[in-house]
Amino acid sequence: MAENREKLFDQFPAVDTETWKAKVVADLKGADFEKKLVWRTNEGFNVQPMYRAEDIENLKTTDSLPGEYPFVRGTRLDNEWFVRQNIEVADVAQANAKAKDLTTKGVTSLGFKLQGAVTEADVATLLADIDLEKVEVNFEACQKHALANAEALVAYVVKAGKAETFKGSVKFDPFVRLLKKGADFCGDVKAIAAKLVDVAAPVKGLRVFTVDSVLLSDAGAYIAQELGYALAWGAEWMAQLTEAGIDATTAASRIKFNMGITSNYFMEIAKFRAARMLWAQIVKAYNPTCDCACKMNVHAATTKFNQTIFDAHVNLLRTQTETMSAALAGVDSISVLPFDAQFKTPDDFSERIARNQQLLLKEESHLDKITDPAGGSYYVETLTASIADVAWKLFLEIEDKGGFYAAIKDGSIQSQLQETSKKRLADVARRKESLLGTNQFPNFTEVAGNKIEECQCKCGCGHKEDESKVATIPTARAASDFEALRLATEHSAVRPKVFMLTIGNLAMRLARAQFSSNFFACAGYEIIDNLGFPTVKDGIDAALEKNADIVVICSSDDEYAEYAPEAFRLLDGRAQFVVAGNPACTDDLKAQGIENFVHVRSNVLETLQAFNAKLLK
């Protein structure tokens, strides 16, 4: 059979890259190859429209196998990941009842969000009838309670005889307070860290030091930014722990990475592959006793940054592709944010759907049966190397400035994230970055104000606003400004009506009416579309009959010179007048008093904010 296949391939002549490119250029019919097809990423490198074997022939990342250093292809031979769901713990008995129920529904990792310190008795109640050999257990509370919670958990695990098989974590991450609150941790980090290592010693699979870069992803960090900062964060832990007298092998084995997942599908796969490779090299520099210490333990969580309140079920599409990226990339555990988490406490339905998103990938797509399927892909291997290169340079910059702790104490990382967030929000405002259902193709009739629940911080950290000493990471989601815009419309005494005055060229008027309808629907306005009018007067009369607040003339560029001035004159200020497009005669139209134009280069958010200021009561 092999010989037959070889003969088949021999029938086709080899085609070099230049020949392929020449064919592409010919098909472009004179268009610039670089401008038309080469994509410039936010990370600062170019992505080509095609890749071939020659693009990866010099990459060292393709030489290893899953489970082999530097672990770019995975830290283990299988791809069985933990399905995690978090539980808010107000009452330990009730939390236990929910946890037991979840373990019968596919959950293999429990994240208990504690309100404070727990005792060994509390842990016994919380974990009663939970199979610690099959279920990962993670505790999260205010940082000052980490040591007490670790002591209680370890005591319970040891008494249960599960010290050798237990898998889980107690979150201790004092750096988070600087990032979120702008105030430093009120304790001796090294002293607590040393005690945590001693406490955790009997339980090999317990990780107690966290790199919480999911916070950076939630803040809008670019992919390479999150990775570069996560590596610096992890390196800070290695430095702090080894300086406290803890050997490198022990230190590395107690660190857990919580990383975010964005909707950039292939780049997220590449990010996790690059993360394992770079972390392995960082730990290797500390001369651990074995390469096994260089394995990165990663929990992946879907991001909050791109989640939306309006058209919230689209969040399911986002989290599904994000979860698939992480699963294919070989992470250790995944949690999926319920689609309604941004506006209410998730209910049983949304939590079940979030669980099932992972179970679909396991039970129907069998992604747990394959390890690193992207390995060898010309595209993904190149992305892995490119992201690794950018992230490593960022990591070195932070190290040169004194490390992660120094960089967050002076606020430089927070300031960079603020700039990134500002840039991304501007891109969303101009639709350079799309959010389906928010700045593109919104649901015209949806209202959301009545489904939003009030929520308040219950972290118990005792933070006061005046404690902030340095910049903090941004909290706005990509959709926040558009949601505020649309909610303002909902809360107004009037809902502006936008009338499409469609006239002239059939194709252009329909296309521009659709564009304009989607444009103004982003503010929650009522849209009145039309098939077309024989005259401008007929259109204006119909608009006035409907009590339109905005009249958008939709036609072709050539016809605007005639139709737009006539419509503007007949409307006579009784409604806002808008031209759909950016015709060559724009300056002439402006000279006649026409001020409003909407087109693909418009800042959608600022334009709609201006209309809100004029129309809402």
Side-chain angles (χ1 to χ4, degrees):
M1 292 296 291
E3 291 182 3
N4 290 338
R5 282 198 293 270
E6 286 297 323
K7 290 178 181 178
L8 258 177
F9 286 123
D10 288 345
Q11 295 177 26
F12 298 96
V15 180
D16 60 28
T17 301
E18 290 306 313
T19 302
W20 272 110
K21 189 171 181 178
K23 175 60 178 171
V24 173
V25 170
D27 289 345
L28 288 174
K29 298 179 180 179
D32 187 279
F33 178 89
E34 294 290 328
K35 291 182 179 179
K36 196 75 174 178
L37 297 179
V38 176
W39 165 39
R40 183 71 173 177
T41 68
N42 290 321
E43 276 58 42
F45 58 85
N46 290 339
V47 173
Q48 298 295 324
M50 60 181 182
Y51 289 93
R52 309 187 75 222
E54 63 199 57
D55 292 304
I56 67 169
E57 60 187 10
N58 295 321
L59 295 181
K60 296 180 180 179
T61 57
T62 60
D63 295 337
S64 64
L65 295 173
E68 290 184 357
Y69 180 90
F71 309 111
V72 65
R73 302 205 61 200
T75 58
R76 55 194 188 278
L77 297 179
D78 61 65
N79 195 34
E80 182 64 45
W81 73 88
F82 287 107
V83 177
R84 179 167 167 178
Q85 183 169 328
N86 295 324
I87 301 172
E88 296 284 347
V89 181
D91 178 274
V92 288
Q94 291 177 3
N96 171 255
K98 182 172 182 177
K100 288 190 292 185
D101 181 58
L102 292 178
T103 59
T104 67
K105 296 176 177 177
V107 169
T108 54
S109 175
L110 298 166
F112 292 105
K113 292 183 175 290
L114 308 170
Q115 292 189 346
V118 291
T119 65
E120 184 182 342
D122 291 330
V123 176
T125 302
L126 191 62
L127 300 182
D129 299 319
I130 301 295
D131 189 344
L132 298 184
E133 292 191 4
K134 297 179 179 179
V135 179
E136 183 188 60
V137 174
N138 305 277
F139 281 4
E140 179 178 340
C142 187
Q143 307 302 322
K144 64 184 179 181
H145 302 304
L147 183 58
N149 291 339
E151 290 173 340
L153 178 60
V154 169
Y156 173 79
V157 170
V158 171
K159 283 186 179 179
K162 305 297 183 183
E164 294 299 318
T165 56
F166 177 86
K167 291 284 189 296
S169 66
V170 172
K171 183 177 179 180
F172 178 58
D173 196 349
F175 308 122
V176 166
R177 196 160 184 261
L178 265 169
L179 290 167
K180 294 178 70 173
K181 308 295 184 182
D184 208 345
F185 180 68
C186 304
D188 187 334
V189 174
K190 288 182 182 178
I192 296 174
K195 290 179 181 177
L196 276 168
V197 170
D198 289 339
V199 168
V203 183
K204 181 180 178 182
L206 177 63
R207 294 179 181 265
V208 291
F209 306 112
T210 309
V211 173
D212 222 6
S213 69
V214 65
L215 296 175
L216 313 183
S217 184
D218 287 342
Y222 292 132
I223 288 173
Q225 263 188 322
E226 185 204 356
L227 178 53
Y229 295 147
L231 294 171
W233 200 331
E236 183 67 44
W237 271 128
M238 290 297 295
Q240 295 259 5
L241 294 171
T242 52
E243 287 172 9
I246 300 161
D247 68 274
T249 302
T250 300
S253 68
R254 299 298 181 182
I255 298 173
K256 185 182 185 75
F257 286 77
N258 293 336
M259 302 184 73
I261 330 165
T262 71
S263 294
N264 200 327
Y265 184 72
F266 287 107
M267 288 188 68
E268 283 293 345
I269 296 174
K271 179 189 79 177
F272 288 112
R273 300 175 86 247
R276 286 192 297 267
M277 176 180 68
L278 297 178
W279 178 244
Q281 294 176 29
I282 290 171
V283 176
K284 187 78 167 178
Y286 283 86
N287 297 314
T289 55
C290 67
D291 284 347
C292 61
C294 302
K295 293 181 178 181
M296 186 186 219
N297 184 276
V298 183
H299 170 70
T302 56
T303 187
K304 295 178 183 177
F305 184 75
N306 64 4
Q307 292 225 324
T308 61
I309 293 173
F310 286 91
D311 216 348
H313 288 92
V314 179
N315 292 331
L316 293 170
L317 304 179
R318 299 183 180 107
T319 54
Q320 190 64 53
T321 62
E322 291 165 4
T323 305
M324 190 172 178
S325 293
L328 291 173
V331 301
D332 297 281
S333 59
I334 304 173
S335 60
V336 178
L337 199 63
F339 73 89
D340 55 358
Q342 300 312 312
F343 54 87
K344 65 188 291 287
T345 301
D347 54 26
D348 290 341
F349 172 75
S350 61
E351 287 186 343
R352 176 169 64 87
I353 294 297
R355 288 194 301 272
N356 288 349
Q357 287 182 264
Q358 292 195 61
L359 299 181
L360 281 170
L361 298 179
K362 283 194 172 212
E363 305 302 330
E364 295 194 18
S365 299
H366 304 296
L367 297 191
D368 57 335
K369 301 297 190 292
I370 50 174
T371 304
D372 192 34
S377 160
Y378 307 150
Y379 180 42
V380 175
E381 291 288 4
T382 305
L383 282 183
T384 300
S386 298
I387 291 173
D389 180 60
V390 177
W392 189 252
K393 289 176 181 175
L394 182 56
F395 163 72
L396 292 178
E397 287 177 12
I398 297 170
E399 289 298 292
D400 288 342
K401 294 177 181 179
F404 183 78
Y405 186 34
I408 60 174
K409 279 201 295 186
D410 67 19
S412 59
I413 286 179
Q414 296 93 310
S415 296
Q416 289 176 32
L417 288 171
Q418 290 283 1
E419 286 300 311
T420 298
S421 176
K422 183 178 178 180
K423 169 67 164 57
R424 292 193 69 180
L425 292 176
D427 286 347
V428 171
R430 292 182 174 276
R431 288 177 169 173
K432 290 179 66 177
E433 186 170 335
S434 294
L435 275 178
L436 185 64
T438 298
N439 70 349
Q440 291 279 22
F441 308 112
N443 183 335
F444 288 22
T445 60
E446 183 183 10
V447 293
N450 58 355
K451 71 181 183 182
I452 299 174
E453 297 178 358
E454 294 293 330
C455 62
Q456 297 179 350
C457 174
K458 297 179 181 178
C459 65
C461 61
H463 167 71
K464 298 179 181 179
E465 291 302 320
D466 59 3
E467 289 181 9
S468 181
K469 304 297 183 185
V470 297
T472 58
I473 58 175
T475 58
R477 290 174 291 107
S480 294
D481 290 336
F482 276 93
E483 289 166 354
L485 180 78
R486 193 159 175 177
L487 288 170
T489 302
E490 281 189 30
H491 297 150
S492 173
V494 297
R495 184 187 181 197
K497 295 180 180 180
V498 185
F499 186 92
M500 301 298 152
L501 199 170
T502 49
I503 190 169
N505 182 284
L506 178 62
M508 291 304 301
R509 78 191 191 205
L510 292 178
R512 280 179 162 154
Q514 182 185 47
F515 172 86
S516 301
S517 295
N518 283 316
F519 190 105
F520 285 99
C522 291
Y525 296 170
E526 180 183 345
I527 306 300
I528 305 172
D529 201 359
N530 299 282
L531 294 177
F533 296 96
T535 68
V536 171
K537 185 177 184 306
D538 290 333
I540 293 296
D541 289 345
L544 294 175
E545 184 180 346
K546 294 288 187 180
N547 296 316
D549 298 286
I550 301 172
V551 176
V552 185
I553 188 166
C554 304
S555 189
S556 66
D557 286 1
D558 293 340
E559 293 169 303
Y560 278 140
E562 175 187 352
Y563 291 146
E566 182 183 0
F568 182 66
R569 177 176 54 80
L570 290 173
L571 191 59
D572 193 25
R574 287 173 286 182
Q576 298 291 318
F577 183 70
V578 179
V579 174
N582 187 25
C585 62
T586 294
D587 289 341
D588 292 336
L589 297 179
K590 287 182 177 180
Q592 298 178 61
I594 298 173
E595 299 177 349
N596 301 311
F597 298 80
V598 296
H599 46 81
V600 293
R601 294 184 181 179
S602 296
N603 186 309
V604 183
L605 180 66
E606 289 182 0
T607 301
L608 294 176
Q609 285 173 334
F611 277 111
N612 263 13
K614 296 175 183 177
L615 301 173
L616 300 189
K617 297 179 182 179

